[in-house]
Amino acid sequence: MRINDIIIKETPDFVILNKPAGLLTIPDRHDNQLQSLQGLLRKHYGQIFTVHRLDKDTSGLILFAKNEEAHKYYSQLFEGRNVKKFYQGLVNGQLIPATGSVDEPIMEHPVVKGKMVTNRKGKNALTDYEVVESFGLYSLVKLQIHTGRTHQIRVHMKHLGHPIAVDELYGTNAPVFLSAIKKNYKLGKRTEEERPLLSRLALHAWQLHFKDQQGEEHIVEAPLPKDIQAVVTQLRKNSGQSSELVL
């Protein structure tokens, strides 16, 4: 993977990239042989500063600072909730009502390491959601997080009973197959086994809204990746919906 291929926006102070799903943001503490975006950026730039993180299996926008002054500024911007963060995701089933907020504190699971749960003893967490398109089996949802808790969107969607598609930790890791979407689906004559349309967490960091150190406003966007878009396209085709996605 070439860093230049995933850069969305760059200035002397920051670089915003479209992180692929499956790539760590920072090195794994227990296995430093695993590739991380931070490691790739250090090879590319020499010096780089981590400001925030995305889960390994979440794709989309992530900002790194290129100097210490920018690191301090953008870290405070994110921590002070002065960055608007929008995601898109496919959730299981139909969300009713189609718009709403989840205001549920989140804490670490008392038994399962690396898992989070909603609990009144946890840290406050607020997520807004809006259904963009509903297809019965799945819904395409726009989400805004006002806090930055670990696995926040995934935990809050599970709390609503509509976990993110292909979420092994909070839902099911079952991939999305065309045969589950298309009626009378048949394998091609030369195809022995159906390949999934989507086999990773269906969550994408879509937009960042913020002001830089000079006060200039930035709205940065990364379109849905091909695998999630392929599922949405097939859902539209096979549920009678063919309208363009408007957000």
Side-chain angles (χ1 to χ4, degrees), residues 115-132:
K115 190 173 183 178
M116 311 299 286
V117 292
T118 53
N119 189 293
R120 57 187 176 83
K121 295 180 181 178
K123 295 179 179 179
N124 69 302
L126 176 61
T127 305
D128 296 335
Y129 72 87
E130 178 184 345
V131 175
V132 178

Side-chain angles (χ1 to χ4, degrees), residues 42-102:
R42 282 185 173 161
K43 287 180 183 177
H44 187 81
Y45 291 105
Q47 187 181 50
I48 203 75
F49 299 85
T50 304
V51 174
H52 64 122
R53 303 179 191 179
L54 291 178
D55 291 345
K56 178 184 175 183
D57 292 322
T58 300
S59 58
L61 295 175
I62 185 164
L63 181 149
F64 285 82
K66 294 169 69 177
N67 55 65
E68 289 186 8
E69 186 179 338
H71 181 229
K72 182 179 179 181
Y73 173 80
Y74 288 107
S75 294
Q76 290 176 345
L77 207 66
F78 274 84
E79 289 168 11
R81 302 175 190 173
N82 293 310
V83 178
K84 290 183 179 180
K85 296 172 282 186
F86 294 93
Y87 289 70
Q88 291 183 52
L90 275 174
V91 303
N92 288 281
Q94 291 182 283
L95 272 166
I96 299 173
T99 60
S101 298
V102 186

Side-chain angles (χ1 to χ4, degrees), residues 175 177 179 185-196:
F177 288 96
S179 57
Y185 170 81
K186 292 180 181 179
L187 277 174
K189 290 181 180 179
R190 297 181 182 179
T191 307
E192 294 182 4
E193 187 177 353
E194 184 184 3
R195 295 178 63 184

Side-chain angles (χ1 to χ4, degrees), residues 4 8 20 23 43 45 48 59 78 81-82 104 118-119 132 145 148-149 176 193 197 210-211 231 240-241:
N4 287 336
I8 299 290
L23 181 64
K43 287 180 183 177
Y45 291 105
I48 203 75
S59 58
F78 274 84
R81 302 175 190 173
N82 293 310
E104 291 288 338
T118 53
N119 189 293
V132 178
I145 55 172
R149 307 302 174 208
V176 180
E193 187 177 353
L197 292 172
F210 63 92
K211 287 184 179 179
V231 177
Q241 295 191 33

Side-chain angles (χ1 to χ4, degrees), residues 188-215:
K189 290 181 180 179
R190 297 181 182 179
T191 307
E192 294 182 4
E193 187 177 353
E194 184 184 3
R195 295 178 63 184
L197 292 172
L198 183 70
S199 55
R200 59 93 170 182
L201 183 73
L203 186 61
H204 179 67
W206 172 52
Q207 281 188 352
L208 290 174
H209 300 205
F210 63 92
K211 287 184 179 179
D212 64 20
Q213 288 146 287
Q214 289 73 43

